[in-house]
Amino acid sequence: MRVATEARRPDFTSRLVGKALAVKPLWALAKGQARRMMIQRAERLGIPWRETVAELSQQDWQPLWQSIQRVDLAYPANYTASFHGYDAGHLCWEAAYEFEVASNAVHSSLYPEAGPASDQALREGYHAVLQSQLPQPPARILDLHATVGLSSFALEQAFPAASVTGLDFSPHYLSLAAYNAARRGSKVTRWIHALPEATGLPDRSVDLVSAFLLFHEMPQGTTRRIFREVRRLLEPGGSFALMDMNPASGVYQTMPAFVMTLLKSTEPFMDAYFALDLEEELRQAGFDEIVSSVCSSRHRAVIARVAG
Ligand SMILES: C[S@@+](CC[C@H](N)C(=O)[O-])C[C@H]1O[C@@H](n2cnc3c(N)ncnc32)[C@H](O)[C@@H]1O
């Protein structure tokens, strides 16, 4: 799948925006302004941003943090990059406290009829694709970028008979995931702090690996390593499913170049992701029967099988 955005030459405005964002004080100013606008917009939509963050930041996270964090985990540089306007990227409490409200806000325009419930609708759309395309309901599911648990809880709902394990490289997110699980009465209790390319799980121990909005955040070499790791984990007949940005979508093809530049300033590996032929990479990692489906105006699901 070729990508128009990759071939598009940056116009004058986007070059200007790119140059301005490279100047630290200007970047801090733009980031602060974008953040204020996002919070205001979220609250206008009824998403209780500041209230949620205030409540979460008052909790004592130490007991969960200590039970989850693997102190010996070494991070390759891509995991410590700045994401979503947080200098420490995914490895900070602020990103964890804001994760759910930000996801609701970011996705709120996906389905006009759903509004702030669009994040949930996106997850349901993805699971409808899984339910219609998987050969049988999976018994053991690994959620590869569980973050604060939203994707794991959604998988649990879609496949109630399965055992779901959530894995993430951020112990901040996983502390929130365990907290959210207890509050929601979820059965998901296994949260693994590890890199997605080095899970530490045994060969052929999973029937479905799901990665919801993971790969647009990964450099190409890491994506290839994750694909090989997933192939190792899956039972024969098992499936790997991912849901992510769709580079071929009209939204990205027609997005003004300067807006794209702004977006990329908070998503450091988006270009690398857009330039990668996922289907071909999956084939090279040993997957068969690769099927892509449209999930929203800007997302796609890709399901890859391991021959049974
Ligand atoms: C980190 S991943 C999400 C993976 C996870 N499996 C899930 O279920 O949501 C990328 C997503 O994080 C969300 N997100 C959370 N906080 C954000 C922020 N401050 N700015 C932009 N996106 C944010 C967006 O929905 C984005 O697409």
Side-chain angles (χ1 to χ4, degrees), residues 14-243:
S14 56
R15 282 204 304 273
L16 203 67
V17 170
K19 279 197 174 140
L21 293 179
V23 179
K24 272 214 159 162
L26 288 180
W27 162 233
L29 205 70
K31 196 171 69 170
Q33 180 60 15
R35 196 180 147 68
R36 275 188 293 280
M37 281 166 59
M38 174 138 107
I39 296 173
Q40 277 167 10
R41 186 165 161 275
E43 292 188 346
R44 269 201 310 276
L45 288 165
I47 299 166
W49 187 300
R50 283 171 295 185
E51 194 186 316
T52 304
V53 173
E55 189 194 318
L56 291 174
S57 53
Q58 276 163 20
Q59 304 295 321
D60 174 11
W61 294 102
Q62 277 314 303
L64 282 175
W65 168 267
Q66 271 168 9
S67 66
I68 279 166
Q69 192 213 21
R70 245 185 62 201
V71 283
D72 61 334
L73 188 65
Y75 289 105
N78 59 293
Y79 291 101
T80 56
S82 158
F83 275 97
H84 300 163
Y86 305 108
D87 291 340
H90 298 296
L91 298 172
C92 66
W93 288 111
E94 195 184 13
Y97 298 155
E98 296 188 339
F99 189 89
E100 187 165 356
V101 284
S103 293
N104 287 332
V106 167
H107 292 143
S108 62
S109 59
L110 276 183
Y111 307 98
E113 65 289 358
S118 292
D119 182 76
Q120 198 189 330
L122 178 63
R123 293 170 199 279
E124 285 168 2
Y126 167 55
H127 293 142
V129 172
L130 289 184
Q131 280 157 337
S132 71
Q133 290 186 20
L134 294 182
Q136 67 262 329
R140 295 160 301 172
I141 302 176
L142 175 65
D143 179 12
L144 217 47
H145 191 20
T147 61
V148 304
L150 307 185
S151 42
S152 311
F153 306 140
L155 284 163
E156 179 186 31
Q157 265 198 326
F159 300 104
S163 75
V164 178
T165 298
L167 181 145
D168 207 277
F169 54 87
S170 163
H172 306 81
Y173 284 157
L174 289 180
S175 301
L176 268 283
Y179 170 84
N180 286 333
R183 284 220 313 191
R184 289 172 199 226
S186 160
K187 286 189 303 182
V188 185
T189 52
R190 193 171 178 217
W191 304 105
I192 299 177
H193 178 210
L195 303 181
E197 68 267 42
T199 62
L201 293 170
D203 292 0
R204 301 179 166 197
S205 57
V206 183
D207 308 300
L208 171 68
V209 176
S210 173
F212 190 92
L213 289 171
L214 169 67
F215 289 104
H216 70 279
E217 298 189 343
M218 296 291 136
Q220 296 185 346
T222 310
T223 292
R224 293 189 182 104
R225 283 192 284 280
I226 298 173
F227 284 1
R228 288 200 293 273
E229 174 73 346
V230 172
R231 178 69 184 75
R232 181 184 74 76
L233 294 176
L234 281 170
E235 280 277 22
S239 300
F240 176 29
L242 63 96
M243 204 303 298

